[in-house]
Amino acid sequence: MDYKDTLALPTTTFPMRGNLPQNEPKTYQLWKSSRIYPTMEQNRQNASVTFNLHDGPPYANGHIHIGHALNKILKDTIVKQHYFQGEKVFYTPGWDCHGLPIEQQVEKKLGKEKKDSLPKIKIRELCRKHAEEFVQIQKNEFLELGIFGDFENPYKTMDFAFEAEIYKALCGVAKKGLLKERSKPVYWSWACQTALAEAEVEYEEKESDSIFVAFPLQEDALQALSAQELGIHKASCVIWTTTPWTLPANSGIALNPEELYALTQDNKIVLASQVEKLAELGIVENKILKTFHAQILENKHATNPLNGRDSKIILGEHVASSEGSGCVHTAPGHGEDDYFVGLKYNLPMLMPVDDRGCFDETLIREKLFFNPDEFVGKFIFDTHPRILELLGEHLLRHSKIKHSYPHCWRSHQPVIFRATAQWFILMDEPYTSSGETLRQVALKQIKKTRFYPEHGMHRIYSMIENRPDWCISRQRDWGVPIAFFKDKQSGKVLLDSEILDFVAEIFAKEGCDAWWSKSIEELLPPQHKDKAEHLEKIHHILDVWFDSGSTWKAVLESGKYASGGNPASMYLEGSDQHRGWFHSSLLISCAIHQCAPYKSILTHGFTMDENGEKMSKSKGNVIAPKDVLKEFGAEILRLWVAQSDYQNDQRISNNILKQVSENYRKIRNTIRFLLANIGTLESLETQHFSQIDLWILEKAQNCFKEVNALFNEYEFSKGLQELNYFLNAELSGIYLDLCKDNLYCNAPDSKERKAAQSVMALICGRLFGLLAPILTYTINEALNHTASKALLESCGITKEIQNPNIAVLEVLYQPLPCFEKPKIDFEKLLALRSCFLEQIDSLKKESKIKSTLEVDFITSAKIAEFEELNLWLMVSAVECSKTASNLLASFTFEGETYHICKAKGYKCPRCWQFIAQEADAPCVRCAGVLADSKMES
């Protein structure tokens, strides 16, 4: 007789191999055609708790990279974590569609000359087309990752209604009195010909000309020094600069009001504390004729050696005492500190540099060189050799230095400080009823926000605390215009609500292209059209950070999206967004509503190769999401994100993904074993749990409670570590192994077998609920191979699944029910089992046995009273005796001696235990099962 045919062996249609690259696209297409996101909303319609994650818009310019995948998968996992906890969730994906990179791509295709010859409306049309193309590309690439969201109705900052909402946000800030136009030095990208905000500036190493220059003192300064008493008729202030091109615009020299200055033997003025250091460089002589307080030279004058213009000596607390000469060259048109101290002393603000970074005719008009004609039209950095030549004897020292210098984040070219008329959001203007400033309100709101990780709060707090006013104007084509009218005569900006609202309505219907295509008269409401001839348009566009920073208004407040309302439960982006999207969103929301647009902020790090190096095409270390999907599948990428300590920078490579794949295989095989043994279990049998059943249920309950708590705090990596230990060491490593005899050999309807199946159903259901946010494809697939009603109920599914292709959306995570605690000390049993298996390993190595079923376990200890000890140790029999025959090994545990002996019985050909009374005959248990089976047939 072939006894194998009489066993209840595991069977399931759930395959061992996932074949993820082949099978995921099929599931994705089914989800896509089923429009799964509305189903998510419908399933939790009556939920009392809601969660909405507001999407930080990726830029619609290029295919997604691995950083995009990390970001979107993490967002998706968190949204689903809340969903599978039974909450109503909202996630509207979006795209940032305006801005310089798209405009640059269009310019690249057209050529600059052709672009410059086209009307602005045509350029904007081409930019819109370019952005739309990549929105569609990225949308499909995100969906392939198993991302659930309202992709049928995403937000795009270039949609007409959206542009109107951005403009309304601008008007809201203006109405609060926080918007001001002024001429002030800003970061200027000559390569991109636009102003930059702080968030658009990156610091890179640059080699610069470092020069020390003597500015001759005028008579009023010499008299203040009592120079004639020392027999001195000429003296100079020594300035230091690394931007020689700014010297023509010099209008002052700043001294530190708290420091002593020195007049050296060679008639040069520097910080007294720096004389020795400067003498070593050959700039001054190392002998001091006189020391004095800086105040005696305040409002006195020196002469700019390049043009003979006055340079007023002033006092400034910004003057450093540890570098340079302590006499700071001040050009209010080319530096922020210079600008503010210049306002205080009413210094001329000279700005002779055009948008392209070239000297303009201001040089001639203001006589900023003795011979200015030769410099007009020259790129400023190229003029350094000639400027140094013209300084002649006034150039005391020239060297090259490498230092950290601001660069444009798009062109990667060094930026300059350049005073132009720009629009600013004011940080320190009181605007609330209690007289608080935007800075004060924003700092209060930061303290009310939950941060993951917590130290993120300190980072954005210090940024807001120290930031200058926000320059929001840009000088480009592709963006939302600062659509205000200015009176030609007075220069006053019209902020009449009727006019602003009328323009917003036009934008909502036609898009903000109307600002360029329509006349002023057409853009004015009927009652204001008579003002048209006296008005002019402002032609700046908004900083793209203003676009994305106002998405909370357009998405969460407009009612046009299934977004869940304002404020969002969470904003989630890379850690660089402390200075970017989190920052701009906070300021705009605080300006308009005096509150943050988010309750919590979660940040993640950046993606690196396996050596911790930044990915780049030139290094050949780029890992593209599409390549990962082709070789490994989206589930492996999703599991990589969840296993990673995402709050720090993440490493990824083929080797790392292979390790993740191995972990995935273990999880999948555990699920497969459970499904195969649960079979078609209709209802749970919870009245006949063995002590071992109760032990694993207690272990599972503790594990799942801890894992779920960690997942709810978004600690997915830690949670998976706990879960993997339980699955590998306790569930698969012990319990499932112990259950095989019960599952395979007992009668199919026996209480013991159904109890074990019920344990597996309870555990498997919770596994589905815990893993569904991460391994969505796999849990969906497993549910489609589930035949057990009891298992479905343990997943929270109490109704028939009408569409099995989206079965995963029916899952609800529920804690395990409370069962009685095991009455046996399983910690002691685990330790005993470990000692026992050490002896078994030795016996196997010595070829004395092949299996634990070949032995009986002999003990005189009280532990023998545990009726399931033979199952726990997987031996044929346990006897309580002081003597042992056919002894194979002995060991001592907690003062008791235990014996391992050759099994006394015969091997049962059906269950392989050595408990049969005759050779080649089934044991009593198996004989009974076979007899019952014959009677049933």
Side-chain angles (χ1 to χ4, degrees):
M1 180 178 184
D2 190 349
Y3 288 104
K4 183 180 178 182
D5 295 336
T6 71
L7 300 175
L9 293 175
T11 178
T12 178
T13 56
F14 184 62
M16 182 181 293
R17 290 177 58 83
N19 291 323
L20 301 176
Q22 292 75 39
N23 292 331
E24 285 173 348
K26 299 172 187 174
T27 306
Y28 149 65
Q29 289 299 334
L30 285 168
W31 284 343
K32 191 175 178 183
S33 63
S34 303
R35 296 190 67 231
I36 56 175
Y37 191 74
T39 311
M40 285 183 82
E41 286 188 11
Q42 188 176 358
N43 286 356
R44 303 288 188 257
Q45 200 63 43
N46 298 319
S48 58
V49 180
T50 62
F51 177 85
N52 66 322
L53 192 153
H54 181 43
D55 195 27
Y59 199 65
N61 188 31
H63 291 271
I64 68 169
H65 53 67
I66 206 70
H68 285 123
L70 168 65
N71 178 266
K72 275 293 194 280
I73 289 171
L74 187 54
K75 286 175 180 174
D76 186 62
T77 302
I78 286 175
V79 168
K80 287 174 181 171
Q81 174 64 19
H82 286 271
Y83 175 80
F84 289 116
Q85 300 288 311
E87 298 176 27
K88 187 175 182 179
V89 298
F90 300 91
Y91 174 64
T92 301
W95 276 271
D96 221 342
C97 303
H98 295 126
L100 186 60
I102 290 171
E103 192 173 335
Q104 285 177 324
Q105 288 298 315
V106 169
E107 185 175 292
K108 193 175 177 182
K109 290 177 186 175
L110 292 172
K112 190 168 190 317
E113 288 186 11
K114 186 174 181 182
K115 175 179 178 281
D116 290 343
S117 67
L118 289 174
K120 196 175 287 266
I121 295 299
K122 181 62 180 176
I123 295 167
R124 291 175 60 85
E125 178 189 322
L126 294 171
C127 289
R128 191 179 298 278
K129 185 178 178 182
H130 179 93
E132 186 60 51
E133 176 188 348
F134 280 100
V135 165
Q136 292 304 315
I137 288 170
Q138 290 187 5
K139 171 184 170 180
N140 290 328
E141 290 173 338
F142 286 141
L143 286 168
E144 288 174 349
L145 298 173
I147 309 297
F148 287 8
D150 194 1
F151 282 93
E152 295 300 310
N153 187 33
Y155 77 83
K156 293 174 281 187
T157 58
M158 66 180 177
D159 286 344
F160 293 169
F162 208 104
E163 290 181 332
E165 290 296 331
I166 295 170
Y167 176 65
K168 287 178 186 176
L170 175 68
C171 295
V173 174
K175 289 174 184 177
K176 294 287 185 178
L178 294 176
L179 197 62
K180 186 174 182 179
E181 184 186 29
R182 65 183 181 213
S183 187
K184 179 179 180 290
V186 294
Y187 289 114
W188 184 269
S189 172
W190 49 266
C192 298
Q193 297 181 36
T194 185
L196 301 175
E198 277 195 282
E200 297 171 303
V201 171
E202 296 175 343
Y203 283 81
E204 299 175 21
E205 191 175 80
K206 177 183 181 292
E207 185 177 74
S208 296
D209 290 292
S210 170
I211 61 173
F212 287 85
V213 181
F215 272 53
L217 296 184
Q218 294 184 16
E219 188 61 32
D220 59 350
L222 290 170
Q223 287 181 8
L225 283 172
S226 302
Q228 286 184 339
E229 296 176 10
L230 298 172
I232 295 172
H233 302 287
K234 291 182 179 179
S236 300
C237 263
V238 177
I239 67 97
W240 170 65
T241 183
T242 57
T243 55
W245 63 270
T246 64
L247 285 175
N250 171 278
S251 57
I253 298 172
L255 309 183
N256 189 317
E258 304 299 323
E259 296 290 330
L260 278 176
Y261 282 76
L263 175 63
T264 62
Q265 184 166 283
D266 54 347
N267 303 339
K268 296 187 177 74
I269 291 171
V270 294
L271 262 175
S273 61
Q274 293 291 93
V275 169
E276 187 175 344
K277 181 179 175 182
L278 294 171
E280 290 175 0
L281 296 173
I283 295 167
V284 300
E285 291 185 6
N286 193 9
K287 185 174 181 181
I288 296 174
L289 298 179
K290 179 178 183 177
T291 59
F292 57 91
H293 290 286
Q295 284 82 353
I296 69 169
L297 288 179
E298 186 179 14
N299 291 316
K300 304 305 184 286
H301 297 85
T303 300
N304 188 333
L306 284 176
N307 53 32
R309 292 173 60 98
D310 288 351
S311 184
K312 184 184 284 188
I313 300 173
I314 59 178
L315 304 179
E317 293 180 357
H318 66 285
V319 178
S321 59
S322 59
E323 61 180 4
S325 63
C327 304
V328 174
H329 149 58
T330 301
H334 292 303
E336 189 165 25
D337 288 330
D338 300 33
Y339 169 77
F340 284 113
V341 76
L343 286 178
K344 180 180 177 182
Y345 285 93
N346 197 29
L347 298 182
M349 186 164 68
L350 305 166
M351 216 293 298
V353 180
D354 67 15
D355 292 358
R356 299 171 298 120
C358 297
F359 280 125
D360 63 19
E361 294 196 356
T362 305
L363 292 179
I364 299 173
R365 187 174 62 252
E366 298 291 342
K367 300 177 181 177
L368 300 186
F369 282 104
F370 289 119
N371 183 18
D373 292 349
E374 66 172 297
F375 288 94
V376 174
K378 294 282 183 67
F379 182 54
I380 52 173
F381 292 142
D382 293 343
T383 63
H384 283 184
R386 180 60 176 150
I387 289 173
L388 301 187
E389 185 181 342
L390 290 174
L391 285 171
E393 64 181 13
H394 297 97
L395 178 61
L396 304 177
R397 189 174 195 274
H398 171 226
S399 62
K400 297 280 189 179
I401 64 167
K402 289 185 177 180
H403 60 147
S404 180
Y405 189 87
H407 285 65
C408 171
W409 72 328
R410 293 298 183 192
S411 67
H412 298 290
Q413 295 294 331
V415 301
I416 59 176
F417 260 103
R418 177 173 179 264
T420 55
Q422 302 291 343
W423 288 86
F424 295 86
I425 292 178
L426 306 178
M427 293 299 298
D428 298 307
E429 182 76 18
Y431 75 109
T432 67
S433 58
S434 59
E436 288 182 303
T437 66
L438 180 54
R439 192 186 311 278
Q440 290 169 331
V441 171
L443 291 174
K444 277 187 178 179
Q445 289 301 307
I446 289 171
K447 289 182 177 179
K448 292 181 180 178
T449 303
R450 175 79 187 271
F451 284 84
Y452 305 90
E454 290 182 3
H455 61 73
M457 190 271 281
H458 303 294
R459 186 174 181 191
I460 192 171
Y461 192 94
S462 64
M463 288 175 175
I464 296 290
E465 194 173 33
N466 298 303
R467 67 154 297 131
D469 294 340
W470 178 11
C471 176
I472 61 166
S473 49
R474 298 292 180 271
Q475 293 68 50
R476 301 297 300 189
D477 297 329
W478 181 227
V480 175
I482 298 178
F484 297 145
F485 297 106
K486 184 185 286 188
D487 186 281
K488 290 178 182 177
Q489 288 187 330
S490 67
K492 185 179 178 182
V493 176
L494 271 66
L495 295 175
D496 187 294
S497 291
E498 287 184 346
I499 295 175
L500 300 180
D501 293 345
F502 189 77
V503 171
E505 286 178 22
I506 293 173
F507 286 179
K509 294 173 185 173
E510 304 176 37
C512 57
D513 290 355
W515 187 246
W516 290 275
S517 63
K518 290 184 178 294
S519 67
I520 292 176
E521 187 174 358
E522 290 173 304
L523 291 165
L524 290 170
Q527 61 272 36
H528 292 279
K529 290 189 184 295
D530 59 330
K531 300 176 183 174
E533 62 179 303
H534 304 293
L535 301 177
E536 62 183 2
K537 295 177 185 177
I538 290 170
H539 286 299
H540 296 278
I541 65 166
L542 281 167
D543 171 12
V544 74
W545 288 110
F546 193 98
D547 283 27
S548 57
S550 57
T551 55
W552 57 266
K553 184 179 190 305
V555 177
L556 303 180
E557 285 191 349
S558 68
K560 295 168 185 168
Y561 303 91
S563 60
N566 188 32
S569 304
M570 177 176 283
Y571 273 33
L572 186 166
E573 296 301 325
S575 55
D576 58 329
Q577 296 306 317
H578 284 109
R579 69 169 185 162
W581 189 54
F582 304 148
H583 198 117
S584 61
S585 300
L586 176 69
L587 292 183
I588 297 170
S589 182
C590 285
I592 297 173
H593 290 324
Q594 291 85 61
C595 66
Y598 37 67
K599 297 176 185 175
S600 67
I601 282 178
L602 186 145
T603 54
H604 60 78
F606 300 102
T607 50
M608 306 287 186
D609 71 8
E610 63 183 334
N611 298 316
E613 293 185 10
K614 188 176 180 180
M615 293 187 188
S616 70
K617 290 180 181 177
S618 60
K619 290 180 183 177
N621 62 350
V622 173
I623 302 285
K626 63 181 178 62
D627 294 332
V628 178
L629 266 58
K630 186 184 290 185
E631 183 173 351
F632 296 97
E635 290 291 73
I636 304 306
L637 202 53
R638 294 180 66 90
L639 188 56
W640 168 75
V641 171
Q643 284 186 188
S644 300
D645 177 13
Y646 60 79
Q647 292 177 353
N648 296 305
D649 291 344
Q650 297 311 302
R651 300 187 181 198
I652 188 169
S653 67
N654 271 18
N655 288 332
I656 290 170
L657 290 169
K658 285 174 183 175
Q659 294 169 20
V660 176
S661 298
E662 179 59 23
N663 190 32
Y664 172 80
R665 185 188 64 79
K666 290 178 181 178
I667 293 171
R668 184 181 182 92
N669 284 346
T670 300
I671 290 172
R672 185 172 185 272
F673 187 90
L674 292 171
L675 287 177
N677 285 286
I678 293 167
T680 57
L681 184 69
E682 284 291 307
S683 60
L684 297 175
E685 168 56 73
T686 61
Q687 301 302 310
H688 297 90
F689 286 143
S690 69
Q691 290 296 301
I692 296 175
D693 292 337
L694 293 173
W695 166 74
I696 198 63
L697 284 170
E698 182 181 42
K699 285 290 182 181
Q701 189 175 54
N702 293 338
C703 172
F704 294 164
K705 183 178 179 181
E706 176 67 16
V707 170
N708 198 48
L710 287 167
F711 282 5
N712 284 335
E713 287 294 309
Y714 318 122
E715 296 276 9
F716 298 107
S717 175
K718 291 178 181 177
L720 281 173
Q721 286 178 13
E722 294 280 339
L723 187 60
N724 284 333
Y725 177 81
F726 169 74
L727 294 180
N728 296 326
E730 294 171 334
L731 183 65
S732 297
I734 300 177
Y735 182 75
L736 297 183
D737 208 24
L738 304 184
C739 283
K740 289 176 182 175
D741 178 76
N742 179 10
L743 293 167
Y744 303 169
C745 301
N746 278 338
D749 60 349
S750 73
K751 293 175 180 178
E752 294 85 0
R753 186 173 186 275
K754 282 196 169 183
Q757 285 181 305
S758 298
V759 168
M760 293 183 186
L762 287 165
I763 289 174
C764 192
R766 272 66 190 178
L767 269 183
F768 285 0
L770 281 173
L771 291 172
I774 301 166
L775 301 178
T776 312
Y777 278 118
T778 301
I779 302 307
N780 184 86
E781 181 189 2
L783 282 165
N784 281 289
H785 290 275
T786 296
S788 167
K789 187 177 179 182
L791 173 54
L792 291 178
E793 288 179 359
S794 73
C795 299
I797 302 174
T798 55
K799 62 180 181 179
E800 293 296 324
I801 301 174
Q802 296 175 346
N803 183 356
N805 293 318
I806 54 169
V808 70
L809 293 182
E810 303 289 339
V811 171
L812 176 66
Y813 176 78
Q814 303 169 108
L816 271 171
C818 290
F819 299 103
E820 65 176 288
K821 302 284 185 184
K823 297 173 183 176
I824 306 299
D825 182 359
F826 272 92
E827 290 304 312
K828 182 176 179 179
L829 284 174
L830 283 166
L832 175 67
R833 186 174 184 273
S834 179
C835 292
F836 169 74
L837 290 176
E838 284 181 19
Q839 299 297 319
I840 292 297
D841 284 343
S842 296
L843 293 172
K844 286 180 177 178
K845 287 175 183 176
E846 295 167 6
S847 300
K848 292 182 178 179
I849 61 169
K850 293 180 180 178
S851 162
T852 54
L853 293 178
E854 296 177 35
V855 306
D856 291 340
F857 189 67
I858 313 298
T859 176
S860 60
K862 188 179 180 182
I863 201 166
E865 295 175 8
F866 175 38
E867 294 179 358
E868 300 160 26
L869 187 58
N870 64 316
L871 297 176
W872 182 249
L873 298 177
M874 294 177 68
V875 297
S876 287
V878 173
E879 293 184 17
C880 185
S881 173
K882 292 184 179 180
T883 60
S885 58
N886 294 322
L887 184 66
L888 293 172
S890 298
F891 66 93
T892 301
F893 173 74
E894 293 189 355
E896 296 285 347
T897 301
Y898 299 88
H899 304 292
I900 300 171
C901 302
K902 274 281 189 181
K904 293 178 181 177
Y906 294 98
K907 182 178 181 179
C908 172
R910 184 170 180 270
C911 70
W912 295 4
Q913 292 190 58
F914 285 74
I915 54 174
Q917 295 175 353
E918 298 176 23
D920 300 323
C923 64
V924 173
R925 187 264 309 263
C926 288
V929 171
L930 291 170
D932 291 341
S933 176
K934 285 180 181 178
M935 289 178 63
E936 288 176 8
S937 61

